[in-house]
Amino acid sequence: MKEFLTDQLKTQEYFLNMGPQHPATHGVLRLLLKLDGEIVRNVDMDLGYIHRSIEKMCERASYKQIIHLTDRLDYLSAHMNNEAVCLLAEKALNIEVNDRIKIVRTIMDELTRISSHVLWWGVTGMDIGAITTFMYGFRERELINDIFEETCGTRLTMNYNVIGGLRYDIHENFVKRTKDVLKHLKKKLPEYDKLLTNNIIFQKRLMNVGVISGEDAIAYGLNGPTARGSGVSCDIRKTHPYSAYDMVDFEEAIFTEGDSFARYKVRIKEMWESISIIEQLIDKIPNDEYKVKTKAVIKLPVGDYLQRVEASRGDFGVYVKSNGQKFPERLKFRSPGFANLTALNKMAYGLKIADLVAILSTIDVVVPDIDR
Amino acid sequence: MSYFSDIINGTKTLLTGMRVTGGYFFVNFFTKRDVITQQYPNNIETLEMFDRFKGEVIMLHNENNEHRCDACTLCEKACPNGSIEILGDKAKDPETGKNKRFLVKHIYHLQMCTMCGLCIEACPVNAIDWGQDFHHVEYDRSLLTKVLNKPGSKIMSGIKG
């Protein structure tokens, strides 16, 4: 019977466009799929739909102006991107920032990470077919966005870090609001497990889907939670501590299975770690200046500089080649999303289209980060 | 056999999840305790933004229709995307007899503004600040180009030109 079927029902390989406006691609990402029936044979990524040439724009922007452009890369980890540029300039100019700045920056980083992961959790649930998670994810994110709005003035593109400190001092309600959010999250995250993580239907959709081994993960240059799901230790917060990460005690979330569910568990665990990091720091904010005085026009000394931070999707790097002028001679952003997307073909080979959607959402692509 | 146990386990975990959603449904249906949704266009009158909210750039005027801007163009230079244009002119100051710059029009292109705040930081006399208004919807893009200094306004005394 089986032979009869394969003889009679011969399939032909064909091409299918996924995107650029497919709702599951999280933005304008076009995937050209080569399919055999429903089985994925090849994935071609067509990028550039929202390329804004931000790196080139940075070459005619002063160092203060570059910061607000980095908000627009990975908009869900805007604060970390800002911090990368600030840390780079501070390293080049030998500016020492005080503990207050470091601690506030770290708390903001972790709040951004939670807000990004909460959104990711909602969107992943929705991609798999559970629409409720999307609403629940946004409910928690709204509270974190309120903290950002109160202290930074905006909800998404914060632009809160400046070279030598912070743009404003923290708002007087900041500590109280943050503690409230942590209390709320600690109540709600177990609900996430009940609703989605422990659900067998959801687990079966993710387990053994999109498996990538640790060696392959390193070979493809994967980073962030995507690589940590394959057992690769690559947390910049641990390997190259910056800001206040050397003052806190936290565990790097690593799972070794390498499938989509491992990547899912890494992000859930990272939320718990972020909560613990904020709890360790929130009562320790010292009274001090929130900004170190810098020159009106910032010129980096001649040389090459590199700064890496752990954004919510992985290793975000800024490379600046300075010729001593007020504009950088060349600037390069190393974005986590781009490296993670390259492994998509390897992960999705031989799986179904529905699995491709699951892989895409557990890689957690943000297209402005990939296209720049 | 695992086929049936999968079905049973799947239903069981599904019901565990539905207890969470069902709980919210019934509690919020009667008490509206956890509802954080805002009925946006209906609450326009009562909606209050945070005091640091970046809605738009405004120029501060006092009750005598006087502003603090001396047309030094530092904000224009600080702006990364050319949202600010300053038209200034020079006139003789009646007190000192020297030529002094004064502001004719502070043109602000809201459609290009990215709310980065560099202009407000650059201003040495705190003439501009954030406004809380966010109802920026217009039918024509040109309507978003605004003149920040009010008609007939002049510079406050005591600001160096």
Side-chain angles (χ1 to χ4, degrees), chain A residues 95-112:
Chain A
I95 299 173
E96 271 290 315
V97 296
N98 59 40
D99 277 2
R100 184 184 179 87
I101 297 168
K102 282 182 184 173
I103 287 177
V104 172
R105 276 180 179 176
T106 311
I107 293 173
M108 284 292 191
D109 275 359
E110 293 309 313
L111 283 174
T112 316

Side-chain angles (χ1 to χ4, degrees), chain B residues 136-152:
Chain B
H136 297 313
V137 187
E138 297 283 4
Y139 283 106
D140 191 352
R141 190 189 294 184
S142 62
L143 295 173
L144 290 168
T145 299
K146 299 176 178 183
V147 179
L148 291 190
N149 51 329
K150 288 181 187 163

